[in-house]
Amino acid sequence: MNTVQDPRPLFERAAGQTASLISDVRPEQLDLPTPCPGFDIRHLVGHLVEGVNRLAGIGESIPAEPFAEREARVPDGEWAREFAAAQARYRLAWADDTLLDSPVTMPRAASGRETVAGYVMELTAHDWDLARALDDPRPLDSELAEYALAVALRTVPEDHRGGVWPFGPPRPAPEEADSYQRLAAWLGRPV
């Protein structure tokens, strides 16, 4: 997989970064567009809540639905609380180390370790989307972006775009691009 044997600590870091960004969303920003095609801030934050709940469900042996099938319906103003509840659910569901080497399907067969790593990538990429949409100047965790980029390069090849894989074709990243920009470009975002 990656040099990190257990991706759960990195998931916690990514989720902490996500929670910090979500806590700063103001109601008047919810309709702002994000770099993630088809998502305004309201839908992106709902997607993040649902994603962590989906990962928790996978750990609880609940079959994962295709990516586009569900979106969290969270009342405005409840985003931070709902994300924290999803994080708590995830922690309980993935506390057992044996889950890391158990097979899961979502939408392709993978180990639990690969699945959690994929969600590190998911949160990290969307943290960049949300920070950009919020015009948030805080620095994002570059180690997370390097890890997420390595996961993306390995698990989201160019021929896995569209359909159940919600990624556009890779885009060029500027020569001076940081790891978040390279991740975003690989996943099809304009940088």
Side-chain angles (χ1 to χ4, degrees):
M1 180 63 201
N2 198 307
T3 56
V4 175
Q5 294 299 313
D6 183 348
R8 293 174 298 182
L10 287 171
F11 180 84
E12 288 292 338
R13 281 174 49 191
Q17 182 169 262
T18 304
S20 179
L21 287 162
I22 289 172
S23 71
D24 288 345
V25 174
R26 296 184 316 272
E28 65 271 16
Q29 295 173 309
L30 290 171
D31 295 322
L32 292 175
T34 73
C36 188
F39 284 90
D40 60 17
I41 289 176
R42 175 181 284 108
H43 292 102
L44 179 60
V45 175
H47 176 72
L48 290 165
V49 170
E50 178 54 36
V52 176
N53 275 316
R54 175 193 299 260
L55 180 59
I58 292 168
E60 297 163 349
S61 298
I62 298 170
E65 296 177 22
F67 288 118
E69 292 296 316
R70 292 178 51 182
E71 180 184 314
R73 304 286 186 228
V74 179
D76 291 353
E78 296 296 316
W79 303 112
R81 185 185 63 74
E82 290 291 325
F83 191 80
Q87 281 181 278
R89 181 180 170 208
Y90 154 81
R91 285 184 194 111
L92 287 174
W94 286 88
D96 182 353
D97 292 344
T98 63
L99 287 176
L100 292 176
D101 295 312
S102 298
V104 300
T105 302
M106 50 97 354
R108 65 176 179 83
S111 70
R113 184 180 315 275
E114 292 169 319
T115 301
V116 174
Y119 276 90
V120 172
M121 178 194 72
E122 173 86 359
L123 288 183
T124 303
H126 286 315
D127 286 350
W128 181 83
D129 293 328
L130 188 53
R132 292 272 308 251
L134 294 170
D135 198 24
D136 191 312
R138 81 182 85 185
L140 298 174
D141 186 327
S142 61
E143 186 179 332
L144 284 175
E146 289 293 332
Y147 178 82
L149 179 59
V151 171
L153 291 171
R154 189 175 53 256
T155 62
V156 187
E158 288 188 58
D159 61 340
H160 281 99
R161 307 296 171 123
V164 297
W165 295 95
F167 306 105
R171 294 178 179 238
E175 192 172 304
E176 70 283 356
D178 65 20
S179 50
Y180 276 93
Q181 292 169 316
R182 290 192 323 269
L183 173 63
W186 181 253
L187 297 177
R189 314 281 204 279
V191 181

